Amino acid sequence: LAAAAFRKGVILADRGNIAEAESALQVVDQHCNRKCAFVPGMNNLRARLLLDKGDFAPALAYAAAVIRAGAENEELANARRIAAAAETALGRDEAALAHYLAALELDKQLAFSARIAEDLRGVARVLKKLGREAEAELYAHRADAVVAASRILSGKDGKKLPP
């Protein structure tokens, strides 16, 4: 039941239903008591919901807890992205850049093309804020290339790969 409630919370959060996602997390807490294997995911979900509500410092605290706990790579990458977004909102762009770059390395190991593109775009946004326009443009182009390659490999663009 806890695993189903957790997945429901993630889906609801993806749809922007913050209040319902928070309710799903309460169900998870009741059945899991913070001892489930997906506690890092729960903390990342809490952090995402706080980020969505504009509560950047608490969101960063939850993400940092996942990072300190040494979660498995997928949740660690998620925590890095959340921390980067929170750091950016708090005006700490150098810290945000470090988190995005760390997430990028993890996502490259996991071969998650959509997440790689998301990380590259995050790096580009932060570099632009830091006044590093040329580097920002390179990262943005890399993100576009990852998306294009992913579409070709999945067959979503109608093109066929050469033999």
Side-chain angles (χ1 to χ4, degrees):
L1 186 58
F6 171 65
R7 287 288 153 218
K8 181 180 179 181
V10 171
I11 292 167
L12 290 167
D14 288 346
R15 292 181 180 167
N17 299 334
I18 296 172
E20 292 178 51
E22 288 172 336
S23 294
L25 266 176
Q26 289 175 355
V27 171
V28 176
D29 281 337
Q30 291 169 354
H31 294 338
C32 184
N33 199 21
R34 299 197 180 261
K35 295 179 184 171
C36 297
F38 45 88
V39 168
M42 291 168 49
N43 285 335
N44 275 339
L45 181 54
R46 281 185 180 82
R48 276 182 59 196
L49 296 173
L50 289 164
L51 198 60
D52 288 346
K53 293 193 299 188
D55 294 334
F56 306 120
L60 180 58
Y62 273 108
V66 173
I67 294 166
R68 281 192 308 274
E72 52 90 19
N73 283 353
E74 185 175 354
E75 289 301 340
L76 186 56
N78 289 337
R80 290 290 189 168
R81 261 187 303 284
I82 293 165
E87 294 282 19
T88 298
L90 293 168
R92 299 191 290 240
D93 296 322
E94 290 289 344
L97 180 60
H99 284 298
Y100 275 126
L101 290 171
L104 177 60
E105 289 307 310
L106 291 164
D107 286 329
K108 285 175 9 184
Q109 291 172 19
L110 295 165
F112 287 164
S113 58
R115 296 291 189 203
I116 291 168
E118 183 180 348
D119 300 336
L120 290 167
R121 285 192 177 106
V123 170
R125 281 190 307 273
V126 173
L127 286 171
K128 189 172 184 176
K129 285 180 74 177
L130 291 170
R132 296 162 59 181
E133 299 285 333
E135 285 176 89
E137 193 171 317
L138 288 173
Y139 276 90
H141 286 305
R142 286 176 64 194
D144 293 342
V146 168
V147 170
S150 178
R151 291 183 62 77
I152 290 169
L153 292 172
S154 69
K156 291 182 180 176
D157 70 345
K159 294 180 183 174
K160 302 233 185 226
L161 289 174

